[in-house]
Amino acid sequence: GDSVTQMEGPVTLSEEAFLTINCTYTATGYPSLFWYVQYPGEGLQLLLKATKADDKGSNKGFEATYRKETTSFHLEKGSVQVSDSAVYFCALRSGSARQLTFGSGTQLTVLP
Amino acid sequence: DGGITQSPKYLFRKEGQNVTLSCEQNLNHDAMYWYRQDPGQGLRLIYYSQIVNDFQKGDIAEGYSVSREKKESFPLTVTSAQKNPTAFYLCASSIFVTGNTGELFFGEGSRLTVL
């Protein structure tokens, strides 16, 4: 079945540091890939998405590129801020699947 | 504004009691979902529904029940049969049309604590 493996956290960075959160997946066919963000005590918000190989999703300074050859969708940001502190979830939807498959989430803390 | 409304945000329950969590959406989405989130863990699917009067069990449906009498509403009942119900519950919806990427839109969540 489909699965998503995320880099284990927690991740702690200083403000303005470079961020990478690794995400790899196993799926049939050509899934759509997503990154969601969850701020404390809130629901999940879609951060970015990509629907085919080599697509790059971007939003709020975050980027992720759909790499079919390595089945990866790593999240990156060049300079993190304290306000980026949250839990980040990688997810996929493959083919006609009725629901998304989520990774276990990565807690990011950015220190001033 | 369009969105998903979950209520209540916080709920306390005594052991042995059933409790119902409300989820309403005005996005005109076909599909709705309930997830459970435990501290430091990912999301686990409880139930989902693609159309009115139809729903399917997810990975952890035991001890939960749902109904889908209206397109806009998908309430979740946590029954006394659920052995460890203390958790954060998230409702979501999506368009389900062939070719659509089908991303989920989430509510703000309901935190249930069993005393």
Side-chain angles (χ1 to χ4, degrees):
Chain A
D2 297 344
S3 67
V4 175
T5 302
Q6 274 185 246
M7 166 179 167
E8 286 200 16
V11 174
T12 302
L13 296 174
S14 297
E15 203 164 26
E16 299 184 2
F18 184 85
L19 168 70
T20 299
I21 300 178
N22 290 339
C23 172
T24 57
Y25 66 88
T26 302
T28 53
Y30 301 90
S32 295
L33 302 174
F34 309 89
W35 276 102
Y36 282 85
V37 58
Q38 183 180 33
Y39 298 102
E42 297 184 6
L44 278 68
Q45 302 173 27
L46 180 66
L47 182 59
L48 53 85
K49 67 181 181 183
T51 59
K52 61 183 187 295
D54 300 324
D55 264 2
K56 177 184 284 188
S58 61
N59 186 26
K60 300 180 181 180
F62 290 90
E63 293 183 339
T65 301
Y66 189 142
R67 301 289 189 199
K68 191 173 188 311
E69 64 276 13
T70 55
T71 62
S72 65
F73 193 54
H74 305 322
L75 182 67
E76 298 182 334
K77 186 175 186 183
S79 176
V80 293
Q81 305 301 312
V82 173
S83 57
D84 294 326
S85 298
V87 180
Y88 292 82
F89 290 92
C90 185
L92 68 84
R93 185 196 287 267
S94 63
S96 60
R98 306 304 195 189
Q99 64 270 1
L100 269 64
T101 299
F102 285 88
S104 58
T106 302
Q107 172 77 56
L108 170 67
T109 301
V110 181
L111 303 175
Chain B
D1 285 352
I4 300 176
T5 302
Q6 288 187 240
S7 62
K9 190 169 177 66
Y10 299 96
L11 186 61
F12 298 88
R13 187 194 94 175
K14 294 181 179 180
E15 283 193 26
Q17 289 181 336
N18 292 356
V19 62
T20 297
L21 307 180
S22 170
C23 179
E24 303 280 332
Q25 55 102 354
N26 60 4
L27 299 168
N28 199 32
H29 285 173
D30 302 300
M32 297 186 74
Y33 309 78
W34 275 105
Y35 287 89
R36 170 178 171 144
Q37 186 178 27
D38 294 284
Q41 298 189 29
L43 280 69
R44 292 185 289 171
L45 183 65
I46 304 172
Y47 269 98
Y48 64 100
S49 168
Q50 297 164 52
I51 57 173
V52 173
N53 293 324
D54 187 46
F55 47 83
Q56 286 78 41
K57 293 181 179 180
D59 302 318
I60 57 165
E62 185 175 352
Y64 299 97
S65 66
V66 293
S67 63
R68 186 88 187 274
E69 297 177 1
K70 298 185 300 182
K71 187 175 184 178
E72 303 79 23
S73 179
F74 192 43
L76 173 73
T77 297
V78 184
T79 75
S80 56
Q82 169 51 234
K83 299 303 180 188
N84 184 20
T86 295
F88 190 53
Y89 291 88
L90 288 161
C91 180
S93 70
S94 72
I95 297 171
F96 193 78
V97 176
T98 300
N100 186 278
T101 53
E103 64 258 37
L104 299 185
F105 295 79
F106 283 85
E108 292 293 301
S110 293
R111 186 168 299 282
L112 172 63
T113 302
V114 174
L115 304 174

